[in-house]
Structures are given as structure tokens and as C-alpha cells.
């Protein structure tokens, strides 16, 4: 048998907490000396302390814990109760994770000036967005291989630094499949591409990876393409024709923002990609 002070040190609970648990009829001393009023606890009661800790971690109130322990639930029924609570918490966590993702998406969309109506070309203002990016120049023949490696490298760095991503991700074409300037002198066989994952916090970048704010734009021409990337060329042609006909001048690299892709659907016809280019 152990006095309150000794038992307190053994179980990691303060004497005041033990007295409170006694009043709540959660953990009653094994024996109380009638003359000295010293309270004594048994070694077996350490298991009760463990049960109380588990129930508190599971989110039960002290009143609920008192009811559970006083019902003399056996070990198996108590673990069943905790497992049931764990499943409930897991479901809640999944729901809150999805809610958090939607919140990050909405934050991005607000900074992005919203999403235009499908196939409607608009001019909007965008805010700066913090992103982890990797930029490379490579031959068009190695497009898929290069992008796979670039995305993998950026995401590995973000995970390594335990940084939360905002969504959606995007690509920036500094020169590429569609060159805008009439005096473009770049070798047409090569692409100058940057991939970007919006993030919530700046971190020290690795190797080629740069963490910086994509610039805000006062005038950003935008259009949304729904469908596979095999048909996106038609949307580009209409987009650039509209820019020329409305007397705008391209004033920066093209952005492809992936609002919905293969991570969300198996049907390429359901992909949603926003095209953006700053103009003046």
C-alpha cells in the first residue's frame, strides 16, 4: 500500500488531482486510516489510473468516466468502448481533414480571383501565392519524364519539411508549346517550365527548388477548360485569339492551374484546368 504522496509520484498525478478523483468517485483510496486520515492506494490501482488516462484521451468527461468505472465494466467491454470511440474519432478526423482541404482550396480561390465560368474568358485580379517551385529547361521529347521527376522532387521536399500544401497545383510555361511574343527566338524544340505547389509556410528549399511568392497580377486573362489535355489546344487557340482581338498584350508567363485532375476522377473528360496569362 502507498501513501498519497508516493502513489502520486508513481502514477504521475498530483495529490490535488487524486483528491478530486476521490470526490468524483473515479479513484477511491484502497484504505483510509481512521486515526491519521492518511489515504493509501494499492499497486493494482495503477491500472485504474491507466484506464482513466485512456478514457480522458478518448474525450470522455470525468462524469462519464465515473459512470463507466462504477459500472464495473470488465477489461474487454472497456476496450470495446475505447475502440468504438477511436473509430468515431477517426471518422471525425477524416471529415475535418476534408473540411480543411476545402478551406485551403477556398483560400487559394479567393487569392486567385475566383474561377471563371466554364469556357468564359475574363480579366481578373490575382493576389500573390506562396509556392514551392522547380523550374527547368528541357527538350519536348522528354516532357513526361521530366515532369514526373520534377513533381516528385517538389512534393518530397514539402513532405520532408512537414509543410502543409494549399491547392490546387499549377504549371508555369515561361516558353513552351505556345510562345506568345512575335520576336520569340527560343529554340522551339525546348520548353522552359516551372511546376508549383502552393504551400502555407515558407521553408528552406533544396537544390533546384525555390520557395517564393508567385507575383500578384492586376490584369490576368483567364479561361477554364473542361476535358482532357488532348483537347486543351483548341481552348488555347480561342483564348489567344480573344486576347489579340481585344488588343491586349501578353505580359508574363502562362499558368495552368489544375482544379480537378486524375487525383479526383478517372474520367479525363471531367478534368478542369484554368489557363491564365497576365496582360496589359
Amino acid at each position: 500500500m502507498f501513501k498519497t504522496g508516493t502513489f502520486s509520484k508513481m502514477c504521475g498525478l498530483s495529490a490535488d488531482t487524486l483528491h478530486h478523483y476521490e470526490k468524483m468517485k473515479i479513484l477511491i483510496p484502497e484504505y483510509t486510516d481512521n486515526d491519521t486520515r492518511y489515504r493509501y492506494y494499492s499497486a493494482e490501482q495503477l491500472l485504474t489510473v491507466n484506464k482513466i488516462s485512456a478514457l480522458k484521451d478518448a474525450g470522455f468527461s470525468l462524469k462519464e468516466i465515473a459512470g463507466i468505472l462504477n459500472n464495473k465494466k470488465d477489461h474487454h467491454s472497456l476496450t470495446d468502448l475505447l475502440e468504438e470511440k477511436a473509430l468515431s474519432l477517426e471518422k471525425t478526423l477524416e471529415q475535418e481533414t476534408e473540411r480543411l482541404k476545402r478551406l485551403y482550396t477556398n483560400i487559394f480561390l479567393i487569392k486567385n480571383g475566383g474561377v471563371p465560368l466554364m469556357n468564359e474568358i475574363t480579366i481578373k485580379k490575382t493576389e500573390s501565392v506562396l509556392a514551392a517551385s522547380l523550374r527547368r529547361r528541357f527538350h519536348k521529347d522528354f516532357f513526361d519524364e521530366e515532369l514526373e521527376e520534377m513533381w516528385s522532387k517538389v512534393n518530397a521536399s514539402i513532405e520532408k519539411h512537414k509543410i502543409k500544401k494549399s491547392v490546387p497545383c499549377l504549371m508555369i510555361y515561361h516558353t513552351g508549346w505556345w510562345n506568345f511574343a512575335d520576336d520569340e527566338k527560343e529554340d522551339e524544340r525546348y520548353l522552359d517550365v516551372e511546376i508549383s505547389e502552393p504551400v502555407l509556410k515558407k521553408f528552406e528549399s533544396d537544390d533546384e527548388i525555390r520557395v517564393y511568392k508567385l507575383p500578384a497580377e492586376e490584369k490576368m486573362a483567364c479561361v477554364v477548360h473542361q476535358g482532357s489535355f488532348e483537347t486543351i489546344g483548341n481552348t488555347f487557340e480561342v483564348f489567344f485569339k480573344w486576347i489579340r482581338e481585344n488588343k491586349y498584350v501578353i505580359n508574363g508567363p502562362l499558368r495552368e492551374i489544375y482544379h480537378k485532375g486524375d487525383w479526383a476522377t478517372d474520367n479525363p473528360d471531367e478534368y478542369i484546368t484554368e489557363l491564365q496569362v497576365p496582360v496589359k
Side-chain angles (χ1 to χ4, degrees):
M1 303 285 281
F2 308 99
K3 286 185 179 179
T4 299
T6 302
F7 189 76
S8 171
K9 293 178 181 177
M10 292 173 65
C11 67
L13 297 176
S14 69
D16 288 342
T17 299
L18 290 174
H19 290 152
H20 183 59
Y21 283 179
E22 181 182 355
K23 290 179 181 179
M24 295 286 296
K25 300 187 184 305
I26 293 175
L27 183 63
I28 300 173
E30 193 80 14
Y31 168 73
T32 300
D33 189 299
N34 291 328
D35 296 326
T36 63
R37 305 308 301 168
Y38 287 158
R39 295 168 172 80
Y40 294 87
Y41 294 85
S42 67
E44 289 78 10
Q45 287 183 292
L46 289 172
L47 177 58
T48 303
V49 172
N50 290 338
K51 291 179 180 179
I52 294 170
S53 297
L55 290 165
K56 284 183 66 180
D57 284 342
F60 290 99
S61 68
L62 291 180
K63 186 176 181 180
E64 289 172 326
I65 293 172
I68 293 168
L69 296 179
N70 290 329
N71 283 337
K72 306 298 182 183
K73 285 184 174 288
D74 61 31
H75 172 72
H76 293 292
S77 58
L78 180 60
T79 54
D80 289 344
L81 181 64
L82 290 171
E83 286 174 355
E84 181 181 337
K85 189 71 171 181
L87 290 173
S88 175
L89 289 173
E90 189 174 299
K91 184 176 180 180
T92 300
L93 181 60
E94 290 175 356
Q95 293 172 339
E96 289 300 303
T97 299
E98 288 302 314
R99 182 182 174 192
L100 185 60
K101 286 180 181 178
R102 292 195 299 271
L103 177 59
Y104 288 155
T105 299
N106 288 330
I107 291 170
F108 178 90
L109 293 179
I110 291 171
K111 290 184 176 181
N112 191 49
V115 180
L117 295 175
M118 205 67 65
N119 300 320
E120 179 181 314
I121 301 173
T122 60
I123 300 292
K124 65 183 180 181
K125 178 180 179 180
T126 63
E127 299 179 27
S128 61
V129 176
L130 183 65
S133 296
L134 194 160
R135 180 176 175 179
R136 283 182 184 173
R137 183 175 182 272
F138 52 83
H139 197 284
K140 290 181 178 180
D141 289 348
F142 303 106
F143 182 76
D144 291 336
E145 295 91 334
E146 287 285 347
L147 288 187
E148 183 177 356
E149 181 184 343
M150 291 166 73
W151 283 118
S152 177
K153 192 167 187 177
V154 169
N155 284 303
S157 181
I158 292 171
E159 291 175 7
K160 173 185 174 183
H161 291 88
K162 298 180 180 179
I163 302 297
K164 291 188 180 296
K165 291 190 290 186
S166 182
V167 289
C169 58
L170 63 148
M171 280 178 55
I172 303 171
Y173 287 90
H174 296 273
T175 60
W177 304 112
W178 300 275
N179 293 324
F180 317 121
D182 293 334
D183 60 348
E184 183 62 66
K185 302 299 182 184
E186 285 283 339
D187 188 331
E188 293 184 357
R189 297 173 298 175
Y190 287 85
L191 303 172
D192 183 355
V193 175
E194 181 177 355
I195 63 167
S196 292
E197 284 279 7
V199 293
L200 299 181
K201 185 178 179 182
K202 189 174 179 62
F203 61 95
E204 290 298 322
S205 56
D206 303 323
D207 301 328
E208 305 168 87
I209 298 169
R210 180 186 176 200
V211 184
Y212 74 106
K213 284 190 174 183
L214 303 179
E217 298 292 346
E218 286 295 322
K219 289 184 178 181
M220 185 78 87
C222 309
V223 67
V224 171
H225 170 77
Q226 180 170 352
S228 73
F229 295 116
E230 293 180 359
T231 60
I232 202 170
N234 295 330
T235 302
F236 270 107
E237 290 179 9
V238 173
F239 187 39
F240 294 145
K241 181 181 179 182
W242 183 92
I243 291 172
R244 290 192 299 270
E245 290 178 347
N246 286 273
K247 309 301 182 184
Y248 287 109
V249 177
I250 302 294
N251 192 36
L254 169 78
R255 299 181 186 182
E256 276 187 0
I257 301 176
Y258 308 112
H259 293 287
K260 186 176 183 180
D262 57 7
W263 63 91
T265 177
D266 294 328
N267 185 358
D269 292 336
E270 296 178 354
Y271 292 177
I272 297 177
T273 308
E274 182 179 357
L275 310 177
Q276 295 184 346
V277 64
V279 296
K280 60 181 179 180

